[in-house]
Amino acid sequence: MAYQATLHALADPTRRAIFEALQQEASSVGRLAEQLPVSRPAVSQHLKVLKGAGLVTERRDGARRIYGVELNGLVELRRYLDGLWDGALEAFRQEAEKKPSGRKGSRRGR
Amino acid sequence: MAVEKLSSYREPVRKSITVACDSAHAFSVFTSGIARWWPLATHSISTDRARECVIEPRVGGGVYEVRDDGERFAWGRVLAWEPPVRLVLSWHAGMPAELAQEVEVRFTPIAQGTRVDLEHRGWEALGPGAGDAHKGYNAGWESLFVKLFAAACAQPTTQPST
């Protein structure tokens, strides 16, 4: 689920720090590693997760890869929740209207 | 941190529906009957192995799903239990508890039955838990998320089509 992936990605404080740094300014792995107390390989790993969650984009600048923030990841999250509650509440309505007497566990005729 | 200011940015998910039954029944179906309607197969942690879900009927009660082998997976906690009027849950299904949001559900009697208003809010809580709130790493995270989230929500790509 996009929603879960987004939140999983952001649940890690280092990834949040990377995401935050990229929001200030698009950056390379090397620059991120300089700014944060994290090794370059670790930064790369975190970027991979953030990319997988649709939160970060990558573009090439010559030999370098520049990473930036992708807002659509958050749009997805919002959209997922919207759809979740639409579906869940409709199912709730159907269930609630089945037994207007309020009795539980009783058999009902159809 | 200026909570008032942050709250003006956040954009909760809000839903309202009308159900043709009284509010006591609606509240009861929503809570003790949640396993009968929640789309567990698609919206659960253990998906096709999820057997049921539970909202414990008291403040502080657990909200969780149960897998077919009996294992429980927490979704959140009951923060307010006011039958048949109002229910507030902390909500972190599928994520670490420190990312908990809030879901508030209100049940209002109306002529046709009950209006149910749901609000999923607390995006600013998608940040550090109380325990690590002082770590420099997380400084600014709240406002960052809220800003980005508000911007994302404002994008015209979100269509309310049904």
Side-chain angles (χ1 to χ4, degrees):
Chain A
M1 275 179 241
Y3 169 66
Q4 310 285 21
T6 305
L7 291 167
H8 168 75
L10 294 174
D12 182 276
T14 307
R15 282 200 288 275
R16 288 207 292 269
I18 291 172
F19 190 63
E20 184 174 339
L22 291 178
Q23 198 255 339
Q24 307 295 326
E25 181 182 17
S27 187
S28 65
V29 171
R31 278 212 60 190
L32 286 167
E34 281 166 23
Q35 287 174 267
L36 302 163
V38 189
S39 70
R40 289 176 66 127
V43 168
S44 293
Q45 274 306 312
H46 287 309
L47 283 170
K48 195 182 281 182
V49 176
L50 288 167
K51 257 186 77 178
L55 288 166
V56 158
T57 53
E58 175 189 323
R59 65 180 166 82
R60 282 181 181 279
D61 177 22
R64 290 194 312 165
R65 290 175 189 198
I66 304 295
Y67 296 87
V69 158
E70 171 61 85
L71 279 179
N72 280 326
L74 297 175
V75 171
E76 276 305 314
L77 188 150
R78 168 62 186 232
R79 196 178 285 158
Y80 169 81
L81 282 180
D82 223 54
L84 164 85
W85 287 118
D86 276 339
L89 286 179
E90 183 51 38
F92 159 70
R93 189 219 316 257
Q94 286 174 19
E95 184 62 31
E97 291 182 350
K98 266 186 196 168
K99 300 164 189 168
S101 67
R103 283 182 299 152
K104 274 178 281 179
S106 58
R107 288 198 142 246
R108 68 200 155 77
R110 292 199 191 200
Chain B
M1 191 151 294
V3 174
E4 327 68 53
K5 205 169 176 188
L6 289 181
S7 64
S8 68
Y9 279 112
R10 74 182 177 199
E11 215 29 74
V13 170
R14 290 197 182 89
K15 300 285 174 188
S16 290
I17 57 162
T18 300
V19 294
C21 65
D22 63 43
S23 60
H25 182 64
F27 188 94
S28 151
V29 170
F30 197 99
T31 54
S32 61
I34 188 169
R36 301 205 304 269
W37 57 269
W38 185 265
L40 261 187
T42 49
H43 297 300
S44 60
I45 295 162
S46 41
T47 58
D48 55 328
R49 291 188 60 193
R51 178 159 293 171
E52 66 163 334
C53 49
V54 175
I55 298 177
E56 291 176 349
R58 58 188 166 82
V59 171
V63 181
Y64 56 86
E65 74 180 61
V66 185
R67 200 166 61 184
D68 53 9
D69 60 359
E71 179 107 19
R72 290 179 179 186
F73 297 91
W75 289 2
R77 296 225 152 259
V78 176
L79 301 178
W81 180 260
E82 299 162 19
V85 175
R86 179 171 171 261
L87 171 75
V88 183
L89 309 173
S90 70
W91 190 266
H92 59 85
M95 336 149 209
E98 76 203 45
L99 297 186
Q101 306 126 60
E102 270 182 23
V103 174
E104 173 166 6
V105 195
R106 287 181 170 273
F107 303 81
T108 310
I110 54 171
Q112 309 94 299
T114 304
R115 195 183 72 232
V116 179
D117 298 300
L118 181 142
E119 184 173 291
H120 189 147
R121 62 173 180 240
W123 307 106
E124 78 283 5
L126 291 175
D132 58 352
H134 302 297
K135 285 185 190 167
Y137 249 21
N138 291 316
W141 159 245
E142 285 192 349
S143 58
L144 166 80
F145 187 90
V146 171
K147 255 190 285 178
L148 286 176
F149 189 74
C153 293
Q155 284 190 3
T157 46
T158 329
Q159 286 173 4
S161 60
T162 342

